[in-house]
């Protein structure tokens, strides 16, 4: 089954404790992206990657890192999480071509206390 | 950053009613996508419109792209409880509608009750 898999689904952590949210897709997609979803703000892009070893900042990259060492994986790293990073995070992938639909994971709900 | 405003933010209606959701911007988009998101899941694409004035139908859902490609609407006829969810529009800027240039709207949360 074609899918985007994120782990974990839920995460509660404390300020400053480094964490990684994993994302994997099995559709051989070139393009992958991370979004955060907050009430009233819609989905905001954090980082995206057009291909292996090619990453770029989205609209809200501060406090986040990503890497794209393999085509299928695109982990999101929070080196020193802060409470304002409490949010619902989504990973998405697509072919990256004109009007390609985004395929989303089921989300990771992160709480930073 | 382009801004996409959706209205209304919340909508609670009864089964069988009709409704329209709007997605507006001051920017011109090369294409516009509509997604539906159900609780505990990620958004799922419903439709992509690319031509100004284009109308697409998906069963009881009708999508329209504005002539100037700055706005779009989603009309649902005879809403059913299965239509409940968060509806998101997403506009692509630039010459091509590449995923990296997608900006999402603020969302419309629809609840359809029996």
């Amino acid at each position: 089954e074609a899918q985007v898999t994120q782990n974990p689904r839920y995460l509660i952590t404390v300020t400053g404790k480094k964490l990684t949210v994993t994302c994997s897709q099995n559709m051989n997609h070139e393009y992958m992206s991370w979004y955060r979803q907050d009430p009233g703000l819609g989905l905001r892009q954090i980082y995206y990657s057009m291909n292996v070893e090619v990453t770029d900042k989205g609209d809200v990259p501060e406090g986040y890192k990503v890497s794209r060492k393999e085509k299928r994986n695109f982990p999101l790293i929070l080196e020193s999480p802060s409470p304002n990073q409490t949010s619902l995070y989504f990973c998405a992938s697509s072919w990256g071509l004109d009007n390609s639909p985004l395929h989303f994971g089921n989300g990771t709900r992160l709480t930073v206390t | 950053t382009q801004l996409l405003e959706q209205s209304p933010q919340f909508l609670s209606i009864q089964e069988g009613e009709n409704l329209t959701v709007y997605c507006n911007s001051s920017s011109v988009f090369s294409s516009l996508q509509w997604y539906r998101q159900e609780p505990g899941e990620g958004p799922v694409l419903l439709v992509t419109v690319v031509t100004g004035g284009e109308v697409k139908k998906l069963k009881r859902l009708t999508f329209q792209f504005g002539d100037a490609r700055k706005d779009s609407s989603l009309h649902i006829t005879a809403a059913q409880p299965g239509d409940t969810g968060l509806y998101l529009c997403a506009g692509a800027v630039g010459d091509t509608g590449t995923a990296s240039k997608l900006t999402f709207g603020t969302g419309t949360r629809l609840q359809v009750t029996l």
Side-chain angles (χ1 to χ4, degrees), chain A residues 19 22 25-26 28 35 50-51 54 68 70 86:
Chain A
L19 66 92
T22 64
Q25 51 94 5
N26 62 1
N28 202 35
Y35 293 86
M50 298 298 290
N51 212 326
V54 180
R68 187 90 182 272
E70 310 165 273
T86 291

Side-chain angles (χ1 to χ4, degrees), chain B residues 3-68:
Chain B
L3 190 62
L4 268 171
E5 293 285 345
Q6 286 185 237
S7 62
Q9 265 193 305
F10 302 97
L11 194 52
S12 182
I13 61 172
Q14 290 191 313
E15 183 180 19
E17 292 184 27
N18 301 332
L19 66 115
T20 303
V21 175
Y22 299 94
C23 173
N24 294 295
S25 174
S26 57
S27 303
V28 175
F29 294 103
S30 58
S31 65
L32 196 133
Q33 298 178 343
W34 282 93
Y35 291 80
R36 180 169 65 211
Q37 182 181 8
E38 299 186 22
E41 299 181 8
V44 175
L45 180 74
L46 295 173
V47 78
T48 301
V49 285
V50 297
T51 306
E54 182 177 3
V55 176
K56 277 192 175 178
K57 293 194 174 185
L58 186 66
K59 296 183 181 177
R60 294 175 294 100
L61 279 60
T62 302
F63 304 85
Q64 184 161 10
F65 202 11
D67 290 340

Side-chain angles (χ1 to χ4, degrees), chain A residues 9 31 35 37 40-45 48 50 59 88 90 94 96-107, chain B residues 1 9 31 33 35 37 40-45 48 50 86 88 96-107:
Chain A
R9 289 295 307 272
Y31 176 88
Y35 293 86
Q37 186 173 38
L41 297 177
L43 283 162
R44 293 180 293 168
Q45 190 179 53
Y48 65 93
M50 298 298 290
D59 297 320
L88 180 58
F90 286 99
S94 82
L97 303 174
D98 293 1
N99 305 314
S100 299
L102 283 171
H103 297 263
F104 285 86
N106 283 333
Chain B
T1 302
Q9 265 193 305
S31 65
Q33 298 178 343
Y35 291 80
Q37 182 181 8
E41 299 181 8
V44 175
L45 180 74
T48 301
V50 297
L86 178 68
L88 294 161
T96 58
T98 52
S100 62
K101 301 297 184 185
L102 272 180
T103 297
F104 279 84
T106 48

Side-chain angles (χ1 to χ4, degrees), chain A residues 4-13 17-24 32-35 46 63-67 72-79 81 85 87-92 105-112:
Chain A
V4 177
T5 304
Q6 293 179 230
N7 280 297
R9 289 295 307 272
Y10 302 92
L11 182 56
I12 300 174
T13 190
K17 186 176 181 182
K18 181 180 177 180
L19 66 92
T20 299
V21 183
T22 64
C23 174
S24 181
M32 298 185 75
S33 182
W34 276 102
Y35 293 86
I46 302 170
Y64 304 94
K65 284 175 56 177
V66 293
S67 68
R72 64 182 294 126
N73 296 322
F74 191 45
L76 179 69
I77 303 153
L78 284 71
E79 294 270 5
Q85 292 178 298
S87 186
L88 180 58
Y89 290 86
F90 286 99
C91 180
N106 283 333
T108 295
R109 186 167 291 282
L110 172 65
T111 302
V112 184

